[in-house]
Amino acid sequence: MEIPARNILLNINVTDRDGLLRFISKQCEIFGYTNSSKGLYDSFIQREKEYSTGLQDGFAIPHAKTNFVKSAQIFYVRLQHPIEWKTYDDKSVTDVFVLMVNESGTGKVHLKMLSNLATALLEDEFKKKIHELNDSEKISEYITNEIGGNI
Amino acid sequence: MTNIVGISACPAGLAHTPMAAKALEKAGEELGYHVKMEQQGSMGPVNVINQDEADTADFVLIASDQKITGMERFKNKKILRVDINVCIKAPKAVLKKCVSTVEGA
């Protein structure tokens, strides 16, 4: 699974977590990744209710596992202004990796990439490198290489 | 060497399951403990703990509030349950606390 450059969204302006999840869900409908931005949005919110997907150092990883998703996708969203999110270090969020998979039809390769992305976020080096890049093509290339390399 | 086995699991099984497993294994390396974490996530069981490994472990760390399968492997073992988020946030502290709890018992 390559992460297309169009899934890298930089300088995005939203006011809060729900606004971001709504924006992403809409974007997925535009790109044809889902037929129901509402269904996808509800799935993100449902997952946040179980417990927050906020991490630390300004990162969060909201995710949805739902049949409203047509194909597994990863988005990276960099926000213009930090937004409130329940995180481990109580810092607000500026960098969001959004993961989505179909409930039943997602192959192992995709799941492995999502798993690799999640564990990459434990590494300071990965987060630092992401911050250094400012071009969506380069970011998509870097992430794809980092998380698809050892499958 | 302190020998720890465990299982991580989260609601969607996508992100926090592997994160907690890796965080604990890495913290174990740094602290000089042997840590093996089985992941019960979307991919099915990953890095499965066999009966022999279960038998020789000093204790079992369950990083989850979800339903865990295969608990019969750990019959008669000391089992500690820890919030999966705490395992990602402060894996070293979790391991140290678990070890001192077990040793103090």
Side-chain angles (χ1 to χ4, degrees):
Chain A
M1 169 169 74
E2 210 179 310
I3 298 149
R6 70 175 183 177
N7 287 13
I8 310 294
L9 304 168
L10 305 175
N11 293 317
I12 299 303
N13 198 357
V14 291
T15 50
D16 56 19
R17 186 198 76 184
D18 294 2
L20 169 81
L21 295 174
R22 205 171 288 119
F23 166 74
I24 285 291
S25 302
K26 279 259 186 292
Q27 208 61 36
C28 284
E29 200 173 280
I30 293 166
F31 289 164
Y33 301 153
T34 181
N35 284 329
S36 168
S37 66
K38 172 79 171 68
L40 182 58
Y41 172 77
D42 288 345
S43 177
F44 283 125
I45 295 293
Q46 193 51 46
R47 175 60 192 76
E48 291 299 323
K49 276 186 190 156
E50 301 247 18
Y51 48 74
S52 172
T53 64
L55 299 175
Q56 47 207 358
D57 302 325
F59 282 80
I61 42 166
H63 42 282
K65 188 178 177 185
T66 164
N67 286 331
F68 289 116
V69 172
K70 287 201 269 182
S71 61
Q73 296 293 337
I74 293 173
F75 277 83
Y76 168 64
V77 186
R78 185 181 292 163
L79 301 174
Q80 236 170 51
H81 309 289
I83 55 174
E84 290 292 314
W85 205 305
K86 190 176 184 303
T87 57
Y88 295 148
D89 58 3
D90 295 324
K91 279 188 198 156
S92 47
V93 164
T94 50
D95 296 81
V96 185
F97 278 97
V98 186
L99 323 178
M100 62 199 83
V101 298
N102 184 282
E103 217 156 327
S104 48
T106 299
K108 281 225 165 173
V109 171
H110 290 175
L111 293 172
K112 180 78 180 128
M113 282 180 78
L114 298 182
S115 162
N116 286 350
L117 173 63
T119 52
L121 287 169
L122 295 168
E123 307 294 335
D124 291 338
E125 187 59 35
F126 180 77
K127 291 186 270 194
K128 198 175 134 222
K129 186 79 188 171
I130 293 277
H131 277 158
E132 282 168 9
L133 299 171
N134 288 309
D135 172 280
S136 57
E137 289 284 346
K138 288 210 174 78
I139 294 174
S140 90
E141 198 179 306
Y142 175 71
I143 300 170
T144 304
N145 283 340
E146 284 296 303
I147 69 173
N150 61 350
I151 294 174
Chain B
M1 189 195 261
T2 306
N3 188 5
I4 305 162
V5 297
I7 295 173
S8 62
C10 62
L14 290 176
H16 293 75
T17 297
M19 281 181 98
K22 290 285 170 206
L24 289 166
E25 285 170 354
K26 202 170 137 196
E29 266 173 49
E30 286 166 29
L31 292 168
Y33 306 146
H34 181 263
V35 179
K36 177 171 177 180
M37 293 296 296
E38 175 176 315
Q39 302 174 28
Q40 293 189 1
S42 287
M43 286 183 284
V46 170
N47 203 28
V48 174
I49 291 155
N50 65 32
Q51 192 61 57
D52 193 45
E53 288 163 334
D55 290 342
T56 52
D58 293 301
F59 64 89
V60 182
L61 198 173
I62 304 297
S64 184
D65 56 5
Q66 306 287 305
K67 195 176 178 316
I68 302 293
T69 59
M71 286 303 286
E72 64 280 358
R73 282 170 289 181
F74 310 123
K75 215 178 154 212
N76 303 324
K77 282 279 163 192
K78 177 111 185 142
I79 296 170
L80 302 171
R81 276 193 179 257
V82 183
D83 182 289
I84 191 166
N85 288 296
V86 180
C87 293
I88 298 169
K89 182 184 174 184
K92 277 197 205 172
V94 166
L95 289 180
K96 280 190 201 163
K97 184 143 191 244
C98 288
V99 168
S100 67
T101 302
V102 170
E103 280 173 354

